[in-house]
């Protein structure tokens, strides 16, 4: 016994928790119409994962939940729990019992629980399929659905038979594999297109990397060359600087010494400059002496002249003094004579006017007196005027003479001074002449030597200037190299360098050669766009790693695709062989049951391919407006249709063939025979039959009961029935009643009670 029990709570009319245990191979559920029996059958469908609410007679999930009544409030959830005995491991689970539970909430959210663990619907479906409990529900025959298999299309029928044969699991596996294969193919396409997409970039990067590698090589070469070049250049500069310093120091010392010597010589010569002054002075002195002597001569001459003049004047004075004392030499002045004459003339004019002689005589007396006075006066008078004038001249001359005498004295003194100075100067000049000659010689020598030193220093300075340019060039070179090669270029300074005379003595052109070689590499480097190498390398590594990864991925995907194809082929083969085998077995049983039910006749399932519609048929369909699809699509659909199962029946003693000709009862009997045959070949753990027997008459009910018992050997049967015969075959009977509150109640009943309840 696999099915242990079912428990409903809040499901449909089962407001309260209700449990049905199935301890007998056949259990019957009885009760009046509308009491909730079918709800129990539906509870099975529900818990086993039925997704169509419609087939559970509802519109939405909520319709499955107890809706409430006057004495019992509506439930928030409906749950159904089915418990299986797994001691025979019908389920591949390591549990003695397997409980499957499904809960639906008012918001239509479903929960699936296997042994207390929440799972997905798929897990439930797969678990059930592993125990031949399929979703197509061939083991749950709902009310009025007994002949469903007869009404089904050939394709649906095939699916139901596959389900009954337990091939669904393979179907699932196949579908799953096909899904996986499709997904894998998609992935392959994606990976291929990804690879295609990155291929040009990868090629580009590869070329870039080649360039970068080439430039790295060039850099290495440049680095080696730079090391040698820098080492040598540094040595050259240091060595040359040292050399210049060595050369310069004695020259500078010499220059300083010469400077000192020159100073001394110059000082000496400075004095010789004084000599010139002295000579000039001497010449001037000479000139002055000459002048002063001329002056002296002039003065002498003037003096002599004055002296002579003075002597003659003196002589003249002596003579005049002698003449002044004799009357013969006495003189009257014209003026005095004129004055006398005037006076006499005036007296005469006055006498003329007079008539009297007396006054005229008197006037004559007066004239005589005048004349007498005149003579007297002139007689006594001594004329010293001449003497006085000469004396004046003499005095003047004497004065001049004494002046000249003074000048002469002064001139003489000056002459004396000058000639004394002249003599002294002459002696000094004579003395200085010798020492000047030496100093001059020194100056010439020093000048010559200084010139030499200076020209040497100039040369060094010029060379130093050249070296400064070399140093600047070197500095520039280093900066340039550092930008190109990074700080590694400075490593040359760390290398221990043993100065090698050979290296130092090599011509500069060798370094120039090295520099040119470096320049060439630099130009090539620049052309190759050397920068950003690390980035490119990284990008290339990443891209090629990605490509390798994708390549491997593709291989894996292709491997898994072929494995999946293989699996699908295997599954197909297995499905087809097991299907054939199973169909045969079903047919054997179907024939037996059919013959048993109808007391003869024949029934058979046959595999049919759908009638392949010809193009002309499709065109006809189109013309008749039977298909809305285009001719091509309809044709494709028709030809692609899968094979299905046809049911051939022939009743005993009747010439009737084919399902369409059967009566309602005959249809029920045929379908029951087929259902039982299907269940018998690969028995599911349980079968639920909801009033499958409704259409049977008494005789057939009995046969139905026999078949049930036959079937119950392999599958537990739960039958919902109003049929007394059926009830009589059940080991357990559950009565379902409906109280006033509209909720179903469950009770275990005895056969007689059951018969009563069922009515
Ligand atoms: P019959 O013998 O006529 O086939 P039955 O015993 O199979 O009848 P069911 O069809 O199982 O009866 O039960 C139908 C009853 O369940 C109805 O009375 C219906 O009102 C009730 N029912 C269905 N869904 C719910 C629900 N969600 N809440 C409450 N009652 C419900």
């Amino acid at each position: 016994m696999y099915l242990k029990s079912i428990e409903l709570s809040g499901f449909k009319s089962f407001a309260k928790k209700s449990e049905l245990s199935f301890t007998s191979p056949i259990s019957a559920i009885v009760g009046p119409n509308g009491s909730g029996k079918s709800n129990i059958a539906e509870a099975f469908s529900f818990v086993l994962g039925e997704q169509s609410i419609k087939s559970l007679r509802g519109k939405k999930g909520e319709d499955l939940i107890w809706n409430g009544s006057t004495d019992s409030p509506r439930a928030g959830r409906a749950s159904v729990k089915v418990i299986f005995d797994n001691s025979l491991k019908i389920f591949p689970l390591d549990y003695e019992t397997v409980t499957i539970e499904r809960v639906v909430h008012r918001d239509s959210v479903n929960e699936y629980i296997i042994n207390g663990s929440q799972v997905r619907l798929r897990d439930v479906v797969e678990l059930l399929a592993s125990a031949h409990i399929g979703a197509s529900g061939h083991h749950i025959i709902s009310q009025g659905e007994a002949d469903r298999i007869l009404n089904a299309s050939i394709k649906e029928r095939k699916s139901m038979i596959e389900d009954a044969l337990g091939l669904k699991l393979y179907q699932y596996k196949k579908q799953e594999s096909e899904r996986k294969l499709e997904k894998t193919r998609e992935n392959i396409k994606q990976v291929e297109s990804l690879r295609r997409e990155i291929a040009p970039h990868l090629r580009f990067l590869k070329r870039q990397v080649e360039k970068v590698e080439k430039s790295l090589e060039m850099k290495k070469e440049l680095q080696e060359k730079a090391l040698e070049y820098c080492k040598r250049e540094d040595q050259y500069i240091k060595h040359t600087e040292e050399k210049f310093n060595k050369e310069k120091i004695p020259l500078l010392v010499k220059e300083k010494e010469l400077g000192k010597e020159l100073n001394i010589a110059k000082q000496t010569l400075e004095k010789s400059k004084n000599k010139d002054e002295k000579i000039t002075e001497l010449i001037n002195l000479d000139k002055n002496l000459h002048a002063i002597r001329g002056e002296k001569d002039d003065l002498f001459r003037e003096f002599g002249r004055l002296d002579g003049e003075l002597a003659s004047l003196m002589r003249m004075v002596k003579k005049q003094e002698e003449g002044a004392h004799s009357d013969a030499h006495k003189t009257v002045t014209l003026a005095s004579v004129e004055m006398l004459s005037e006076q006499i003339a005036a007296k005469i004019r006055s006498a003329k006017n007079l008539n009297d002689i007396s006054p005229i005589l008197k006037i004559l007396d007066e004239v005589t007196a005048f004349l007498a006075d005149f003579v007297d006066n002139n007689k006594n008078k001594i004329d010293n005027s001449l003497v006085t004038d000469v004396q004046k001249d003499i005095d003047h001359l004497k004065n001049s003479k004494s002046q000249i005498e003074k000048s002469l004295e002064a001139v003489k003194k000056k002459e004396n001074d000058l000639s004394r100075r002249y003599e002294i100067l002459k002696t000094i000049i004579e003395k200085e002449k010798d020492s000047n000659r030496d100093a001059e010689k020194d100056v010439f020598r020093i000048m010559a030597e200084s010139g030499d030193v200076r020209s040497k220093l100039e040369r060094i300075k010029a060379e130093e200037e050249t070296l400064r340019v070399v140093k600047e060039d070197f500095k520039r070179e280093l900066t340039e190299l550092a930008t190109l090669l990074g700080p590694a270029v400075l490593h040359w300074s760390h290398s221990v360098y043993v100065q090698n005379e050979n290296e130092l003595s090599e011509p500069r052109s060798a370094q120039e050669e090295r520099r040119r070689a470096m320049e060439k590499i630099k130009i090539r480097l620049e052309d190759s766009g050397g920068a950003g190498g690390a980035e490119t390398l990284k990008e290339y590594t990443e891209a090629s790693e990605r490509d390798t990864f994708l390549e491997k991925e593709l291989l894996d995907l292709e491997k898994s695709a072929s494995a999946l194809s293989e699996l699908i082929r295997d599954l197909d083969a297995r499905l087809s062989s097991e299907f054939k085998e199973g169909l045969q077995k079903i047919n054997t049983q179907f024939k037996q049951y059919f013959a048993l039910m109808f007391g003869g006749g024949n029934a058979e399932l046959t595999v049919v391919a759908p009638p392949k519609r010809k193009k002309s048929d499709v065109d006809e369909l189109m013309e008749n407006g039977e298909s809305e699809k285009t001719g091509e699509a309809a044709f494709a659909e028709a030809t692609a249709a899968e094979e299905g199962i046809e049911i051939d029946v022939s009743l005993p003693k009747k010439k009737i063939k084919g399902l369409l000709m059967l009566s309602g009862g005959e249809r029920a009997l045929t379908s029951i025979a087929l259902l039982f045959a299907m269940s018998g070949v690969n028995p599911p753990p349980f079968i639920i039959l909801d009033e499958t027997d409704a259409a049977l008459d008494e005789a057939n009910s009995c046969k139905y009961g026999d078949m049930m018992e036959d079937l119950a050997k392999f599958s537990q049967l739960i039958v919902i029935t109003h049929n007394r015969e059926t009830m009589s075959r059940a080991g357990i009977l559950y009565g379902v009643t409906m109280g006033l509150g509209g909720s179903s109640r469950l009770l275990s009943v005895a056969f007689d009670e059951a018969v009563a309840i069922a009515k």
Side-chain angles (χ1 to χ4, degrees):
M1 228 74 71
Y2 303 120
L3 183 66
K4 285 179 89 170
S5 63
I6 189 165
E7 190 184 292
L8 298 79
S9 37
F11 186 80
K12 288 206 163 183
S13 55
F14 289 86
K16 289 198 185 95
K17 193 156 111 182
S18 315
E19 192 183 350
L20 292 92
S21 296
F22 306 105
T23 46
S24 166
I26 301 174
S27 310
I29 298 166
V30 302
N33 289 138
S35 59
K37 302 185 296 296
S38 293
N39 289 345
I40 296 172
E42 278 159 9
F44 273 102
S45 293
F46 172 74
V47 75
L48 300 182
E50 178 58 65
Q51 292 303 296
S52 157
I53 303 291
K54 205 171 137 199
S55 74
L56 301 174
R57 290 181 298 162
K59 277 184 186 152
K60 46 190 191 302
E62 211 178 15
D63 297 337
L64 305 179
I65 304 169
W66 164 246
N67 210 17
S69 68
T70 42
D71 50 1
S72 173
R74 65 177 202 163
R77 70 207 277 275
S79 99
V80 178
K81 203 189 275 181
V82 65
I83 301 162
F84 293 95
D85 180 356
N86 195 35
S87 51
L88 293 174
K89 296 285 170 280
I90 55 159
F91 296 108
L93 291 179
D94 211 9
Y95 291 100
E96 286 293 298
T97 50
V98 170
T99 308
I100 300 171
E101 185 181 1
R102 178 176 175 183
V103 181
V104 65
H105 296 267
R106 286 224 170 256
D107 56 6
S108 291
V109 170
N110 281 276
E111 286 175 65
Y112 300 91
I113 299 145
I114 294 176
N115 280 4
S117 301
Q118 195 126 5
V119 293
R120 295 165 304 170
L121 167 65
R122 214 178 118 180
D123 300 320
V124 174
V125 172
E126 276 183 16
L127 184 69
L128 291 170
S130 69
H132 308 302
I133 306 169
S136 71
H138 68 275
H139 55 295
I140 302 172
I141 311 301
S142 333
Q143 200 176 347
E145 290 256 302
D147 60 351
R148 197 176 71 185
I149 192 156
L150 303 189
N151 297 331
S153 71
I154 56 165
K155 199 176 144 195
E156 280 168 347
R157 237 178 250 149
K158 190 182 176 219
S159 165
M160 285 160 96
I161 287 162
E162 279 171 347
D163 200 2
L165 289 173
L167 299 180
K168 275 285 157 195
L169 197 64
Y170 299 137
Q171 291 278 24
Y172 289 140
K173 275 191 185 156
K174 189 187 155 190
Q175 278 165 13
E176 174 92 13
S177 303
E178 278 169 345
R179 250 200 319 277
K180 276 188 190 160
L181 184 60
E182 200 181 322
K183 186 89 198 138
T184 308
R185 283 186 178 139
E186 259 170 42
N187 286 344
I188 286 175
K189 268 188 204 157
Q190 267 173 10
V191 171
E192 276 172 346
S193 97
L194 262 179
R195 279 194 83 196
R196 262 201 307 280
E197 251 169 54
I198 65 169
H201 187 55
L202 196 64
R203 275 200 299 278
F204 167 76
L205 282 175
K206 198 170 173 217
R207 279 199 299 276
Q208 290 299 104
V209 162
E210 277 164 10
K211 268 193 199 166
V212 169
E213 276 167 357
K214 217 177 261 174
S215 88
L216 281 179
E217 249 168 55
M218 282 191 268
K219 275 186 182 171
K220 208 175 147 221
E221 199 187 338
L222 183 62
Q223 166 84 37
E224 278 164 14
K225 285 215 161 35
L227 181 71
E228 178 73 10
Y229 174 83
C230 293
K231 203 166 70 177
R232 281 175 182 273
E233 196 68 358
D234 184 54
Q235 283 303 322
Y236 168 77
I237 289 167
K238 278 183 187 152
H239 174 77
T240 315
E241 268 176 346
E242 255 168 49
K243 196 181 89 184
F244 286 161
N245 283 340
K246 256 188 221 162
E247 279 174 10
K248 240 165 45 176
I249 289 164
L251 286 171
L252 288 169
V253 170
K254 182 83 184 162
E255 193 182 37
K256 210 171 175 185
E257 277 170 7
L258 286 172
K260 268 188 210 160
E261 274 184 59
L262 187 66
N263 250 355
I264 295 165
K266 268 191 182 159
Q267 271 170 13
T268 315
L269 280 180
E270 198 63 29
K271 284 177 199 158
S272 87
K273 227 194 232 167
N274 293 346
K275 180 200 94 180
D276 287 343
E277 279 169 17
K278 279 175 197 152
I279 289 167
T280 320
E281 195 189 342
L282 199 69
I283 294 163
N284 283 340
L285 274 175
D286 191 48
K287 238 191 260 167
N288 287 349
L289 264 176
H290 194 75
I292 216 122
R293 277 181 188 143
E295 206 178 320
K296 194 179 84 181
D297 287 349
D298 287 347
L299 282 171
F300 266 123
R301 256 194 306 280
E302 183 70 7
F303 186 78
R305 190 187 58 83
L306 283 178
D307 211 29
E309 212 171 309
L310 192 63
S312 93
L313 277 181
M314 293 287 268
R315 268 188 315 270
M316 198 167 78
V317 166
K318 211 172 173 186
K319 245 193 239 170
Q320 275 179 349
E321 274 177 341
E322 285 166 358
H325 289 286
S326 69
D327 287 342
H329 286 94
K330 283 183 185 167
T331 54
V332 285
T333 61
L334 184 61
S336 60
V337 173
E338 277 173 349
M339 205 165 77
L340 185 65
S341 139
E342 191 64 41
Q343 279 169 334
I344 292 166
K347 287 295 178 179
I348 293 170
R349 266 183 322 255
S350 57
K352 275 179 186 171
N353 292 337
L354 292 166
N355 294 337
D356 288 348
I357 202 98
S358 100
I360 294 170
L361 286 167
K362 208 186 162 192
I363 292 170
L364 279 170
D365 285 338
E366 284 173 4
V367 171
T368 318
F370 268 146
L371 283 169
D373 273 351
F374 182 77
V375 174
D376 263 3
N377 276 345
N378 283 302
K379 201 166 197 165
N380 292 331
K381 195 176 128 191
I382 296 165
D383 188 8
N384 275 334
S385 66
L386 262 174
V387 179
T388 317
D389 283 346
V390 173
Q391 197 56 48
K392 266 187 193 165
D393 285 344
I394 288 169
D395 286 348
H396 181 71
L397 279 174
K398 276 184 180 168
N399 203 13
S400 296
K401 203 182 140 193
S402 81
Q403 287 261 312
I404 286 171
E405 263 174 345
K406 269 186 200 162
S407 296
L408 256 174
E409 272 316 299
V411 166
K412 270 184 194 163
K413 192 177 175 289
K414 208 170 177 187
E415 187 198 3
N416 238 359
D417 288 350
L418 284 174
S419 69
R420 214 174 33 246
R421 175 77 189 137
Y422 184 84
E423 282 314 312
I424 292 166
L425 262 179
K426 228 172 125 188
T427 336
I428 291 170
I429 286 166
E430 284 307 313
K431 244 202 265 152
E432 279 179 350
K433 239 180 204 164
D434 297 338
S435 62
N436 274 350
R437 241 192 318 276
D438 291 344
E440 256 169 14
K441 263 192 221 156
D442 276 352
V443 167
F444 287 129
R445 178 186 52 80
I446 292 164
M447 298 282 244
E449 278 183 42
S450 286
D452 188 38
V453 167
R454 220 174 302 126
S455 78
K456 276 181 186 160
L457 281 171
E458 287 293 319
R459 180 186 50 78
I460 294 172
K461 211 171 156 194
E463 282 176 6
E464 275 181 332
E465 181 56 28
T466 317
L467 187 67
R468 190 185 61 76
V469 175
V470 168
K471 265 165 93 174
E472 264 173 25
D473 280 352
F474 184 41
K475 219 166 135 190
R476 239 196 317 276
E477 187 77 58
L478 279 178
T479 325
E480 212 178 301
L481 284 169
T483 8
L484 273 171
L485 302 174
V489 76
L490 302 169
H491 288 170
W492 60 271
S493 59
H494 303 316
S495 68
V496 182
Y497 186 75
V498 181
Q499 196 163 318
N500 184 334
E501 277 310 313
N502 275 349
E503 282 181 7
L504 285 172
S505 61
E506 72 165 23
R508 278 296 279 164
S509 59
Q511 271 292 76
E512 209 29 63
E513 198 50 53
R514 280 184 201 106
R515 206 160 98 123
R516 263 201 295 279
M518 273 164 42
E519 272 323 303
K520 273 186 199 158
I521 301 173
K522 275 194 230 164
I523 290 164
R524 275 196 286 145
L525 252 176
E526 249 163 51
D527 286 349
S528 78
E535 271 302 302
T536 313
L537 278 177
K538 197 174 158 235
E539 206 184 333
Y540 175 68
T541 315
E542 278 170 9
S544 68
E545 269 173 8
R546 182 156 164 67
D547 189 57
T548 317
F549 169 78
L550 288 174
E551 195 183 5
K552 200 181 156 281
E553 181 96 341
L554 200 62
L555 254 159
D556 289 352
L557 283 169
E558 274 160 359
K559 242 188 245 170
S560 77
S562 74
L564 281 168
S565 305
E566 179 79 25
L567 181 66
I568 290 165
R569 266 198 305 280
D570 280 0
L571 284 169
D572 270 338
R574 200 158 168 180
L575 270 168
S576 127
S577 76
E578 285 196 17
F579 183 73
K580 250 186 226 157
E581 212 177 295
L583 194 66
Q584 228 168 6
K585 283 184 188 161
I586 290 173
N587 266 337
T588 315
Q589 292 224 359
F590 186 28
K591 275 178 194 172
Q592 279 174 17
Y593 286 133
F594 190 82
L596 178 75
M597 283 288 192
F598 291 99
N602 193 30
E604 197 180 5
L605 298 177
T606 50
V607 178
V608 288
K612 281 191 181 170
R613 283 176 178 165
K614 283 181 249 144
K615 184 96 169 60
S616 55
D617 295 343
V618 176
D619 292 342
E620 201 180 311
L621 268 176
M622 293 292 293
E623 271 164 36
N624 298 340
E626 285 178 34
S627 173
E628 285 176 359
K629 289 179 182 138
T630 63
E632 287 298 324
F635 184 74
E637 192 184 74
T639 48
E642 287 173 42
E643 59 177 15
I645 297 292
E646 197 54 87
I647 305 169
D648 299 321
V649 286
S650 55
L651 294 180
K653 291 171 216 155
K654 288 186 181 174
K655 282 191 177 170
I656 292 170
K657 277 195 178 180
L659 294 175
L660 288 170
M661 310 294 247
L662 297 176
S663 75
E666 284 167 346
R667 274 182 80 83
L669 286 172
T670 307
S671 61
I672 288 165
L674 180 53
L675 285 173
F676 279 31
M678 276 161 66
S679 302
V681 171
N682 198 352
F686 64 94
I687 299 169
I688 295 159
L689 302 165
D690 189 354
E691 296 186 36
T692 317
D693 51 7
L696 303 183
D697 59 22
E698 226 181 292
N700 279 332
S701 293
C702 199
K703 287 175 192 167
Y704 179 78
D706 291 345
M707 278 194 329
M708 247 175 34
E709 276 180 9
D710 205 20
L711 201 62
K713 286 176 195 150
F714 310 102
S715 298
Q716 258 173 288
L717 297 184
I718 294 138
V719 293
I720 296 168
T721 188
H722 292 285
N723 191 306
R724 196 186 135 86
E725 181 58 37
T726 307
M727 281 182 224
S728 71
R729 309 282 179 132
I732 281 190
L733 286 155
Y734 283 106
V736 183
T737 57
M738 186 158 274
L740 288 173
S743 77
S744 300
R745 279 201 306 150
L746 206 57
L747 51 147
S748 196
V749 290
F751 175 68
D752 292 339
E753 281 175 293
V755 174
I757 285 173
K759 287 171 184 169

